[in-house]
Amino acid sequence: MIFEQLFDTKSSTYTYIVSSGKGREALVIDPVIENTNEYIKILKNLDLKLVKVIDTHIHADHISGLNELSKRTKCSKIMGEHSSSEVIDIHVKDNEKIKIENIELISIYTPGHTDCSYSFLMNDRVFTGDILLINTTGRTDFQSGSSYDAYDSLFNRLLKLPEKTLVYPAHDYNEKKYSTIENEKNNNPRLQVSSKEEYAEIMDNLNIENPEMMDVAVQANLKGLTLDQL
Ligand SMILES: [Fe+2]
């Protein structure tokens, strides 16, 4: 299997390129528009045919490369059914299969960071977007987020996955590349709570500033801007 994890230093975003092997179909998760040429180069070097691109949610801290990649490769654009993006080709529901050659992802609706956030399970690993991060969790105070929904997504969906499942988030700010469900369950300070109310109390009092690019990024991602429109 080809599994490339790429890091955008400006927004600390992780982007993933997945394929069953050289010369086969590929899928990209959470691309950053400025890095499109890098993705295309990797795809070319591995002789991969990009057929699907997924955004886990409408990002607020960077402009997604979803529409630019689709424009350049004709791949299908996928988000969850709650996404308000104007350029999505395939809206997935909870527990739906997304297939490319020899690879299958299962969608898990995990609202809370935003109301359109999905996670995607691929065998031994799960792409968690910004709902579950390494040693922390995604904020819930904008973009129709909800600390109560986040609690449900975390405790009743993601933490119920097998403990050895690898966790690959959309961001990390401490140079950590992945975690496991077991590690997050036992060590993530935000997850050491005993009730929904306790989690909401933490999340509703974080008082963090909005991302610098928030207004620009959200609007761009709803419209699905391409490089020539920036
Ligand atoms: Fe986010």
Side-chain angles (χ1 to χ4, degrees):
M1 185 176 72
I2 291 167
F3 185 79
E4 298 268 346
Q5 181 180 30
L6 304 154
F7 187 65
D8 178 66
T9 45
K10 196 173 152 212
S11 62
S12 299
T13 301
Y14 279 132
T15 298
Y16 301 93
I17 301 178
V18 178
S19 171
S20 58
K22 259 191 163 184
R24 294 187 181 271
E25 291 182 350
L27 175 148
V28 169
I29 300 173
D30 285 334
V32 176
I33 195 163
E34 289 88 348
N35 303 335
T36 305
N37 285 340
E38 190 190 343
Y39 309 142
I40 299 275
K41 203 170 148 195
I42 293 170
L43 292 164
K44 224 178 212 167
N45 285 345
L46 294 167
D47 191 23
L48 300 177
K49 179 178 166 43
L50 183 62
V51 291
K52 288 178 180 166
V53 57
I54 301 176
D55 268 348
T56 51
H57 61 290
I58 296 285
H59 295 279
D61 54 4
H62 66 271
I63 299 177
S64 166
L66 171 133
N67 208 22
E68 178 67 24
L69 268 178
S70 175
K71 194 178 119 189
R72 308 243 307 246
T73 68
K74 305 281 171 280
C75 67
S76 305
K77 294 156 279 183
I78 301 175
M79 282 190 81
E81 63 173 339
H82 306 79
S83 169
S84 306
S85 164
E86 295 170 19
V87 298
I88 298 307
D89 302 309
I90 303 168
H91 285 100
V92 291
K93 292 184 173 57
D94 183 47
N95 202 25
E96 219 173 278
K97 287 180 180 147
I98 298 165
K99 290 182 182 172
I100 61 167
E101 235 173 329
N102 298 341
I103 300 245
E104 189 175 283
L105 270 64
I106 298 168
S107 58
I108 310 172
Y109 182 40
T110 48
H113 170 62
T114 69
D115 61 354
C116 67
S117 295
Y118 270 72
S119 298
F120 297 91
L121 180 66
M122 185 177 88
N123 294 323
D124 64 344
R125 59 199 68 195
V126 62
F127 302 100
T128 54
D130 288 357
I131 181 75
L132 175 58
L133 303 172
I134 299 169
N135 217 32
T136 186
T137 56
R139 64 193 296 172
T140 57
D141 59 331
F142 60 40
Q143 290 186 282
S144 308
S146 153
S147 49
Y148 284 84
D149 288 350
Y151 179 92
D152 278 331
S153 296
L154 291 161
F155 284 85
N156 298 327
R157 303 299 304 270
L158 295 176
L159 296 191
K160 296 255 163 88
L161 293 171
E163 291 206 318
K164 299 295 173 212
T165 306
L166 303 170
V167 172
Y168 283 96
H171 291 290
D172 189 75
Y173 306 94
N174 301 299
E175 295 176 16
K176 294 215 168 63
K177 293 194 159 182
Y178 67 93
S179 181
T180 62
I181 291 294
E182 183 179 31
N183 187 39
E184 293 311 306
K185 202 186 270 182
N186 296 332
N187 301 311
N188 187 322
R190 297 246 178 105
L191 301 180
Q192 311 310 309
V193 293
S194 52
S195 70
K196 207 177 246 202
E197 289 71 27
E198 203 183 321
Y199 187 68
E201 178 70 20
I202 296 173
M203 298 308 289
D204 297 347
N205 291 294
L206 291 178
N207 298 320
I208 23 182
E209 282 181 18
N210 283 344
E212 236 172 81
M213 280 187 68
M214 180 160 166
D215 294 338
V216 177
V218 170
Q219 284 313 310
N221 291 334
L222 290 172
K223 293 251 173 261
L225 293 194
T226 46
L227 273 173
D228 56 355
Q229 294 169 310
L230 291 187

